[in-house]
Structure formats: structure tokens, C-alpha cells
Amino acid sequence: MSREHIGHGDIVRFAQERVNLPKEKADEYRNQAAGLRDRLESYLKEHPDFTLKKMLLSGSLAKGTALRSLNDIDVTCYISGADAPSDIRALLEYLAERLRSAYPNFKPEQVKPQTYSVTVSFLGSGLDVDVVPILYDGDPDWFGNLVSQENGSLLKTNIPYHLAFIRKRKTSQVTDFAQVARLVKFWVRNEKQKNEQFRFKSFMVELVLAHLSDQGMDLSDYPEALQHVFTYIAKSNMQQRIVFEDYYKASAVGAFTEPVQIIDPVNEKNNAGKLYTVAHADAIVNAALDAGDAIDAAWSAPTKQETIRYWQKVFGPTFQA
Ligand SMILES: Nc1ncnc2c1ncn2[C@@H]1O[C@H](COP(=O)(O)OP(=O)(O)OP(=O)(O)O)[C@@H](O)[C@H]1O
Ligand SMILES: [Mg+2]
């Protein structure tokens, strides 16, 4: 393998300059979410029967896997299930109305129900906060029914356990797990720009990577790690079941009929890949084959310019070295 033109260090630099959300931005957005959470906590002290029970930063900002292109701050809001409407539109109206009462400083139009979440927009700087409801019956471990952002269905899951699950993999391969996750997400983003049918949800990317990491894949050399991830995707055809044993035994997982089976690490009945068809899986596999070929070609390209051109097949035209 020739690393003459582009090596690990070049990918590190590319990641820092183009892929990763800069730390100051991440801190700023986390503070924004913390402000909302703190305000809800003090409101709850004065109104203990209030039905919004907790807010938790939940997406890539919480996991440390956010891309520079981040466009909203994901927060889950635990809603006491007893008197919350079950109809999704009514539930979102209900959530918006409760948020408006907890945050009287916001103008009503700053709190807007969307299809499967409620956005809270800040005037001036900052990003919108996307508040995703989770119906909650008081479980001490914070299990609840999350409103799927894909189709509005209810998924029994546990956000704090998801965060702990990812944290465990980040601890076993410090810096590298999160960095390779962001690089693969950046590849996905580039594929989506070329083909709007392409889908490969961040949560699934992270679970695939967690599976490989648990099997002993070393992620410390980024060109090699990417090559290994693409090879796994191509070989598995995205149709190899992935199961984790952090929170239940593999034997507890029942039969699924969907082609893509990446089972939620905290709920053995929830297949995170359930909405993916064979066509979706094939598109991921074909893109991974192309990306793997491009990295191979980059390794043997005679000039730097050509090497860059091959890496641009993986990461798009912003790849420069
Ligand atoms: N199918 C699912 N089943 C259970 N929980 C899910 C599912 N999809 C998403 N989640 C929860 O929502 C969180 C955020 O979703 P996801 O990982 O796809 O977005 P993200 O990390 O914010 O990435 P992006 O950078 O694309 O916004 C996940 O970490 C997980 O806790
Ligand atoms: Mg997100």
C-alpha cells in the first residue's frame, strides 16, 4: 500500500477542516440545549404536575458524532403518557402548547409543530432545537416510546442507554470511533447529494461501526478503517443481522422478516433497519463497492492529483489535500 500521496494524516486534516463540527460550535449548541433543559427543570419545580418531565440532548451532538453540516439540535422531551393525545398531530400540538407555557419568553410562533417533532427557533444566532416527543410512563430507567422521525410510529427505546452504548465504543477506541463514524456519515451525505433516494441513517452507521469495533476492528488508521468498513458493507450485502448483547441476550431476539436487520441495542424487538428495502440495501452496497474501489485506486495512483481525484469519489469535490 502506497501512502505516498494521501495517508492517515491527510484524512485527519480533511476531517478537521471539512467534516467535523468545530468544538466551539458544538459547545455553543450544547449550551443552547442546556438552557432549555434548565428552564424546564425550574418550571417543573414550581409545577410538579406538569406533563413534560425531562429534556435530554439526544442526537449527534450528544454522541459527539456531529458533522459540520449539522442543521438542528436534537432534544428528546419526555411526556407523561397518561393524558397525552395518542394521535400524532394532536400530540405535537400538545407538546408545542406545553412548551409555550414553560417558555413564556418565546413568542408563540417560535415554537412550531412539524411533522414528527416541534421546533423551537431562537432569534438571531443559534440553530433551531428540534424537540422529539417520547411518551413516558415513569420508568426509572427512562425507557419510553419515541416518535420515529422516519414515519411517526412509536418505538420503545431508551435514549440514555443509547448514549451509554456509544460512549462505551468511544472509550474503547478513543477519538477514532467517533472520527470514523463522522467520516462514514460524510460519505453518506455525499452519496445523498448524488442520489436523493439514497438512505443510510446515522444511527445505523454508528451501529454497523459498533459491531465492527466490537469484533476487534482497529479504527486507528483512517484510510484502512474506511476500506474495512466498505468491505464489510459489500460482503454482508447489508443483509447480515447485527445484534448487540449490552442490554439483552442475543437469544432474546426473535425472527424479523425485513432485509436489513440492525437491532436496537436497547430493545430486542425494534429493528432500526425496518424501513429499508432490498433496493435501499443494494444502493448502500453498490456505493460501498465504489468507495472501496476508489480507495484501492487511490493507493496505487501515480500522482497526487490522481490520488485526490479518487478520494473525491469517496468524499466529494470538497476533498483536497
Ligand atoms: N430506529 C430507531 N430506533 C430507536 N432509536 C432511534 C432510531 N433512530 C434514531 N434513534 C434515536 O435517535 C438518535 C438520533 O438519531 P440519529 O443517530 O439517526 O441522528 P443523529 O445522531 O442526530 O445524526 P445526524 O448527524 O444525522 O443528525 C439515536 O442516537 C437514537 O437514540
Ligand atoms: Mg441529528
Side-chain angles (χ1 to χ4, degrees):
M1 272 177 224
S2 156
R3 301 301 179 83
E4 199 185 328
H5 303 301
I6 301 286
H8 174 72
D10 299 287
I11 303 298
V12 169
R13 195 156 0 95
F14 168 67
Q16 285 164 353
E17 287 169 7
R18 306 277 173 169
V19 175
N20 302 347
L21 183 69
K23 178 157 188 330
E24 316 79 74
K25 283 281 163 196
D27 288 343
E28 175 190 332
Y29 300 146
R30 289 190 187 110
N31 284 339
Q32 214 183 316
L36 282 182
R37 182 202 58 208
D38 293 349
R39 175 74 198 102
L40 177 62
E41 279 175 9
S42 49
Y43 189 86
L44 266 166
K45 284 206 183 97
E46 292 153 32
H47 307 82
D49 294 333
F50 194 56
T51 51
L52 307 187
K53 294 301 179 196
K54 176 189 167 94
M55 270 194 178
L56 187 66
L57 188 65
S58 61
S60 54
L61 268 178
K63 293 178 285 186
T65 51
L67 299 186
R68 202 181 184 90
S69 55
L70 178 79
N71 55 25
D72 51 28
I73 301 171
D74 302 311
V75 162
T76 42
C77 183
Y78 290 78
I79 305 176
S80 174
D83 50 18
S86 55
D87 171 73
I88 178 80
R89 271 187 67 168
L91 175 67
L92 292 164
E93 275 302 339
Y94 172 93
L95 172 59
E97 181 248 311
R98 295 296 141 112
L99 288 169
R100 290 183 192 117
S101 44
Y103 304 114
N105 292 341
F106 283 91
K107 296 202 183 74
E109 63 272 20
Q110 284 177 270
V111 181
K112 264 205 229 98
Q114 309 291 341
T115 320
Y116 303 125
S117 63
V118 173
T119 53
V120 177
S121 32
F122 287 73
L123 300 174
S125 68
L127 287 179
D128 287 359
V129 175
D130 204 21
V131 183
V132 174
I134 184 156
L135 293 176
Y136 172 70
D137 288 327
D139 182 88
D141 296 321
W142 298 93
F143 273 95
N145 284 311
L146 177 76
V147 172
S148 162
Q149 296 304 290
E150 290 179 310
N151 66 357
S153 64
L154 291 178
L155 306 170
K156 183 189 169 212
T157 197
N158 188 312
I159 302 295
Y161 284 7
H162 281 166
L163 300 180
F165 174 93
I166 297 294
R167 208 177 307 123
K168 186 169 166 198
R169 277 71 193 178
K170 285 174 69 179
T171 308
S172 79
Q173 299 206 55
V174 177
T175 313
D176 301 328
F177 181 86
Q179 186 59 78
V180 175
R182 286 186 296 253
L183 287 165
V184 176
K185 283 172 62 171
F186 195 87
W187 165 71
V188 168
R189 182 171 172 268
N190 184 50
E191 291 302 316
K192 283 184 183 155
Q193 282 169 351
K194 293 191 290 187
N195 167 13
E196 62 177 39
Q197 313 289 327
F198 190 87
R199 57 195 289 183
F200 193 178
K201 200 177 163 41
S202 298
F203 189 47
M204 286 169 46
V205 167
E206 289 168 2
L207 293 179
V208 167
L209 209 56
H211 169 71
L212 296 175
S213 176
D214 290 1
Q215 302 220 311
M217 187 183 285
D218 178 355
L219 303 173
S220 62
D221 181 281
Y222 299 159
E224 216 160 86
L226 289 164
Q227 184 64 289
H228 289 156
V229 171
F230 294 136
T231 301
Y232 167 80
I233 292 172
K235 280 205 178 135
S236 70
N237 221 12
M238 280 305 278
Q239 298 194 39
Q240 215 171 67
R241 181 156 92 165
I242 294 180
V243 167
F244 298 93
E245 292 201 299
D246 297 54
Y247 295 101
Y248 50 77
K249 287 263 163 265
S251 58
V253 179
F256 287 90
T257 55
E258 296 99 358
V260 176
Q261 300 183 16
I262 301 180
I263 314 307
D264 184 340
V266 310
N267 174 4
E268 71 280 11
K269 295 193 174 72
N270 176 26
N271 174 14
K274 72 174 161 218
L275 297 177
Y276 286 64
T277 62
V278 170
H280 292 127
D282 287 348
I284 297 172
V285 168
N286 287 328
L289 282 166
D290 287 348
D293 286 349
I295 298 176
D296 275 341
W299 272 331
S300 52
T303 64
K304 179 146 187 171
Q305 213 34 56
E306 256 181 82
T307 310
I308 291 173
R309 227 171 25 81
Y310 284 118
W311 277 103
Q312 288 178 337
K313 289 182 193 263
V314 181
F315 290 130
T318 64
F319 184 86
Q320 285 300 335

